[in-house]
Amino acid sequence: MPTRLVGTVLLPGTLGPLVIGGVFYALGLGGPAGALWAAATILALGPATWWVIDAVRHGRLGADAIAVLALTGSLAVREYLAGALIGVMLATGRSLEDHASRRAGRDLRALLERTPRWAYRHDDGAVRRVALADIVRGDRLLVPAGEIVPVDGVVEGGMAMLNESALTGEALPVEHSVGAGVRSGTVNAGDAFDLRATGTATDSTYAGIVRLAREAQAQSAPIVRLADRFAAVFLPLTLLLAGASWLASGQLVRAVAVLVVATPCPLLLAAPAAIVAGLSCTARHGVVVKGGGALETLGRVRTLVLDKTGTLTTGRPEVAEVLAAPGRAPAELLRMAAAVDQMSSHVLAEAIVRVARDRGLELPRPLNVSEVPGHGTEGRVNGRRVTVGKAVSPQDAWAARVRARAALDGAMTVWISVDGCTCGVVLLRDTVRPDAARTLRRLRTAGVRRIVMLTGDRADVAESVAAVLGVDQVLAEQPPDAKVRAVRAEQAVTAMVGDGINDAPALAAADVGVAMGARGAAAASQAADVVITNDRLDRLADAMDTARRSRRIAGQSAGIGMLLSLAAMTAAALGTIPPAPGALLQEAIDVAVILNALRALREGRGTRALLDAGTEALLRRFDQEHAWLRPSLENIRATADALADSPGPTALRRLREIHRFLIDDVMPHEHAEEVRLYPAVERALGSPEVTTTMSRAHAEIERLVRRLGTHLELARDDGPSPDQLDDLRACLYGLHAVLVLHFTQEEEAYFSLSARFRAS
């Protein structure tokens, strides 16, 4: 019977006759009552038989087989009330499962909807829209801004700025000059460009991903219900006891009574009830689990495979640092750059504007703004000409150092020029999610034994992220088909977590696929069994906690119910319980185990730390202070760099400013953390050891600040003496490194507990 007919036909078709028959029986109309109960039994027998046949075709024989035997036996010995009760219980259990199992689809509908259907082709000097199927090798196409590249090809005119994250996992846009090859499925993040097709739609990269996802879905093994696993033991035992009672007594009614009492309602009702309760809990956390089978499997996961971009990282470029040329102020340069970039829709411009507003900078309205494709945006801010984008001609030593640093950090550079002079640069990176490290630790605590990062991104970028998070294996530069092979190569129950189009085949191939659905590709959400609807990775740990707890409660409920049923079956085999009273006794057992199963509705702590309101407020306060202090930390490193070139009075002034910042702002912040935040965190996490290393960092910061103060006392009026310079630079570099690392550790270990991060 189709899923939608279970609740609309089978359940009312069995419950209605049972209730109406009961009314007739109470009025002394036993004949009509029996007829109604028999009709309900027959109605339930049809779909139940089909479910058993379907299970056998797939190599399974589960709980439904006992129900079919009990229904058949009830009809054979004319115990119609018992049959009707079994039919209602069967329909109710299936309705629960089917309600939980309505899948938004692994039909890849979104992936197909995203497939381009049109292309813009140059024909006789004009651009015409043509069907994608009409494109042939050698056609010259126009790819407008924001459009998906329709077929594989090479850039023939203009600069192609492509968002390739859906295919490669690379979060930052990639520039392709004339003659460079590009792949279908990427998005034009810049201005329109011309493309020379090197293939047709059917042999394009994107079409290959669609085919691969379909194949992975078709080859995925069906999920086995928890009830069926219990029934594998319970069914033979039931048949043995029923057969033995029939042979020993010669009375078929005893065998039917055993089957009626043995009807696996704890399996058909209690286990699904616990799983549905678990689905309700995960939904409250912003996690949509597409069915009870998926939740059960999530609770058994031992290997976790994660995509990098958009899963372990934010999936979008974030401003890491703003570096200013000597004599320039980073905050002022950021303000001017963001003012111009307000008028641009470029993804890098959005990142610059976002961080400027987060830092509370007031952005003036620019004049005469123009955007040059492939070069950047230009405008006038407070009478000065500001250009944001590619460097004009920064060839000095400072620019060389910045370029080397960007290359070492794997960062993208956006240069800021004022009146034709290059004055600063913005470094952008795809940063690790603040909750990623804690989430992986929670998952290991919950039972995950192996964590693999699987990404299409470059190996050096992937390794840098993996080093921070401590994953067990890194597989980088993996195309979609290699991702599928890697997932299938894992031996234990495996979950795959991703968000891109290139992840959809691997999500379909995994035992349970988990999609980051807040900003990820719709195709990934369609191919997954679990969808995280908000942009928080720790929801995965919450969902896994809930899955394990629900599965444990479902198992307890089923186990208790089966033990009670065994006791009742023994009594029925001895002839002390007839079929109809046996069905009522089974109902009492059902009520008991269902009440136990509904415990899964309550929240369990799991691996999540529970915070009181006071600790929550402290985390928010110190998180805000970090956001305010962080931009000034870069000035410490910049001052250390400048000491090599100009160790005179200007350097002394900057050193005093840094010391004042450290004494007036940083040290009070660190002292308040030590006195107020750390004791609260120790209470929340249950151990004083969790803050020991942070306290040691405070001591090191204080030592370095005192050392800097001593250097200032020893310095002459015209600047530090030459014999101070090496130690001064070491002191400043040390302060910068310790403070940045310390801030990052606190944000990952403590601030990520805050409701600001847990909010849906």
Side-chain angles (χ1 to χ4, degrees):
M1 177 178 286
T3 298
R4 61 185 177 83
L5 295 182
V6 173
T8 58
V9 175
L10 182 58
L11 183 57
T14 53
L15 183 59
L18 176 65
V19 173
I20 297 171
V23 173
F24 283 170
Y25 188 82
L27 295 174
L29 302 174
L36 285 170
W37 292 335
T41 304
I42 294 170
L43 178 63
L45 183 59
T49 303
W50 167 249
W51 290 328
V52 172
I53 293 171
D54 187 57
V56 171
R57 285 168 50 199
H58 289 90
R60 303 192 309 271
L61 188 62
D64 296 326
I66 303 175
V68 168
L69 292 174
L71 289 168
T72 304
S74 298
L75 290 172
V77 298
R78 300 178 181 274
E79 292 285 350
Y80 301 132
L81 174 58
L85 287 168
I86 296 167
V88 169
M89 290 184 284
L90 180 67
T92 304
R94 274 290 173 165
S95 294
L96 281 171
E97 287 194 350
D98 290 336
H99 173 72
S101 303
R102 286 189 199 104
R103 309 170 78 85
R106 296 178 65 167
D107 56 0
L108 305 175
R109 188 165 54 249
L111 188 60
L112 296 173
E113 287 174 356
R114 191 182 184 278
T115 303
R117 290 175 172 78
W118 307 95
Y120 297 88
R121 186 171 63 192
H122 290 277
D123 285 334
D124 300 326
V127 176
R128 294 185 173 86
R129 192 177 79 163
V130 297
L132 196 64
D134 294 337
I135 300 300
V136 297
R137 190 186 308 272
D139 280 350
R140 189 176 182 216
L141 310 175
L142 174 70
V143 183
E147 292 286 332
I148 299 169
V149 176
V151 295
D152 296 348
V154 296
V155 179
E156 187 158 289
M159 176 71 69
M161 176 72 74
L162 299 180
N163 179 348
E164 299 182 347
S165 60
L167 298 185
T168 67
E170 170 59 64
L172 300 177
V174 180
E175 284 187 355
H176 296 274
S177 56
V178 173
V182 298
R183 291 179 289 176
S184 62
T186 57
V187 178
N188 184 5
D191 292 291
F193 67 92
D194 287 341
L195 176 77
R196 181 70 68 180
T198 58
T200 63
T202 56
D203 56 13
S204 67
T205 300
Y206 190 82
I209 292 176
V210 173
R211 286 193 297 272
L212 186 64
R214 280 173 167 163
E215 291 167 4
Q217 175 185 340
Q219 294 170 13
S220 296
I223 293 173
V224 180
R225 293 184 296 157
L226 180 66
D228 289 339
R229 288 192 289 272
F230 275 102
V233 176
F234 195 58
L235 175 59
L237 185 61
T238 300
L239 294 176
L240 181 64
L241 189 56
S245 66
W246 187 6
L247 289 174
S249 66
Q251 299 176 19
L252 178 60
V253 70
R254 286 198 185 186
V256 173
V258 171
L259 291 174
V260 168
V261 174
T263 300
C265 297
L267 305 182
L268 297 172
L269 288 176
I275 297 301
V276 169
L279 294 175
S280 175
C281 284
T282 60
R284 290 200 296 270
H285 287 297
V287 181
V288 176
V289 182
K290 301 177 185 177
L295 189 72
E296 291 176 26
T297 306
L298 187 64
R300 296 187 294 117
V301 166
R302 291 294 178 268
T303 297
L304 188 65
V305 180
L306 300 114
D307 176 48
K308 180 185 73 68
T309 305
T311 302
L312 293 173
T313 65
T314 59
R316 63 182 183 182
E318 302 277 358
V319 173
E321 297 175 47
V322 180
L323 306 179
R328 301 283 186 168
E332 177 60 16
L333 289 175
L334 176 61
R335 187 182 73 87
M336 298 175 76
V340 172
D341 273 344
Q342 291 179 100
M343 315 307 287
S344 173
S345 60
H346 197 285
V347 63
L348 301 184
E350 291 175 3
I352 292 171
V353 173
R354 183 168 59 248
V355 75
R357 287 176 173 158
D358 288 346
R359 294 182 183 181
L361 300 179
E362 185 177 346
L363 306 184
R365 185 174 183 82
L367 302 175
N368 304 325
V369 176
S370 62
E371 196 161 357
V372 181
H375 290 277
T377 307
E378 182 179 299
R380 300 196 73 82
V381 179
N382 297 334
R384 310 190 72 175
R385 183 167 56 88
V386 178
T387 303
V388 186
K390 285 191 171 181
V392 178
S393 56
Q395 302 298 331
D396 57 9
W398 172 80
R401 286 199 300 268
V402 168
R403 280 200 170 96
R405 182 168 166 185
L408 290 170
D409 292 345
M412 176 172 277
T413 55
V414 175
W415 297 83
I416 306 168
S417 299
V418 179
D419 294 330
C421 175
T422 301
C423 302
V425 65
V426 180
L427 300 184
L428 300 104
R429 288 195 294 267
D430 181 22
T431 57
V432 176
R433 289 178 179 271
D435 59 327
R438 171 169 291 279
T439 298
L440 296 191
R441 290 195 295 271
R442 286 181 59 191
L443 291 168
R444 288 190 189 276
T445 301
V448 173
R449 301 189 186 116
R450 174 173 160 80
I451 298 177
V452 179
M453 181 194 293
L454 181 62
T455 178
D457 208 349
R458 303 192 317 271
D460 57 337
V461 177
E463 292 285 355
S464 65
V465 173
V468 171
L469 298 177
V471 302
D472 298 307
Q473 185 179 9
V474 178
L475 299 174
E477 301 178 18
Q478 301 290 301
D481 56 339
K483 287 189 174 186
V484 172
R485 289 194 297 272
V487 167
R488 287 183 172 153
E490 297 296 333
Q491 300 299 314
V493 178
T494 302
M496 167 71 192
V497 189
D499 74 323
I501 292 171
N502 62 333
D503 298 321
L507 292 174
D511 294 309
V512 56
V514 181
M516 301 293 291
R519 287 188 288 127
S525 297
Q526 290 291 334
D529 303 286
V530 179
V531 180
I532 300 174
T533 60
N534 45 53
D535 199 29
R536 288 291 296 167
L537 182 62
D538 64 354
R539 300 302 192 195
L540 174 61
D542 292 336
M544 195 167 289
D545 284 343
T546 300
R548 292 182 188 280
R549 183 169 184 269
S550 300
R551 190 169 179 272
R552 184 172 63 252
I553 291 174
Q556 290 172 354
S557 301
I560 292 169
M562 287 165 61
L563 288 174
L564 293 174
S565 294
L566 281 172
M569 287 161 59
T570 303
L574 296 174
T576 58
I577 302 179
L584 294 175
L585 176 61
Q586 184 63 51
E587 284 285 5
I589 295 173
D590 295 343
V591 171
V593 296
I594 287 172
L595 288 175
N596 182 69
L598 292 179
R599 290 190 300 117
L601 282 170
R602 297 199 302 268
E603 292 278 354
R605 173 169 179 173
T607 58
R608 179 157 44 95
L610 301 180
L611 306 180
D612 56 40
T615 304
E616 177 71 44
L618 286 172
L619 290 172
R620 285 177 176 269
R621 168 195 159 179
F622 288 105
D623 184 27
Q624 291 168 354
E625 288 186 13
H626 270 207
W628 177 69
L629 292 169
R630 255 190 185 280
S632 299
L633 298 184
E634 192 52 42
N635 193 35
I636 300 174
R637 179 169 176 169
T639 301
D641 291 341
L643 279 176
D645 300 324
S646 54
T650 300
L652 184 62
R653 176 180 57 79
R654 293 184 65 174
L655 287 169
R656 285 174 175 158
E657 289 175 355
I658 287 172
H659 189 254
R660 196 158 45 246
F661 163 69
L662 293 168
I663 293 295
D664 295 345
D665 297 321
V666 173
M667 292 313 300
H669 166 82
E670 304 296 344
H671 179 71
E673 284 184 333
E674 194 72 47
V675 173
R676 300 193 60 191
L677 178 64
Y678 287 6
V681 169
E682 289 170 3
R683 289 193 299 272
L685 298 181
S687 170
E689 298 298 321
V690 296
T691 60
T692 301
T693 55
M694 301 300 180
S695 295
R696 180 66 184 85
H698 284 170
E700 180 64 13
I701 292 166
E702 186 174 358
R703 183 188 73 81
L704 290 170
V705 171
R706 285 199 307 269
R707 192 178 188 88
L708 177 60
T710 302
H711 270 297
L712 290 175
E713 292 174 2
L714 296 174
R716 302 179 306 229
D717 291 340
D718 60 348
S721 61
D723 58 347
Q724 287 183 275
L725 292 180
D726 287 344
D727 193 74
L728 259 175
R729 281 197 297 270
C731 181
L732 291 172
Y733 285 134
L735 268 170
H736 176 264
V738 173
L739 282 167
V740 169
L741 177 62
H742 180 60
F743 275 31
T744 301
Q745 287 177 320
E746 286 183 325
E747 288 160 9
E748 290 182 352
Y750 308 148
F751 300 167
S752 62
L753 297 171
S754 169
R756 179 174 79 85
F757 292 104
R758 298 198 310 273
S760 299

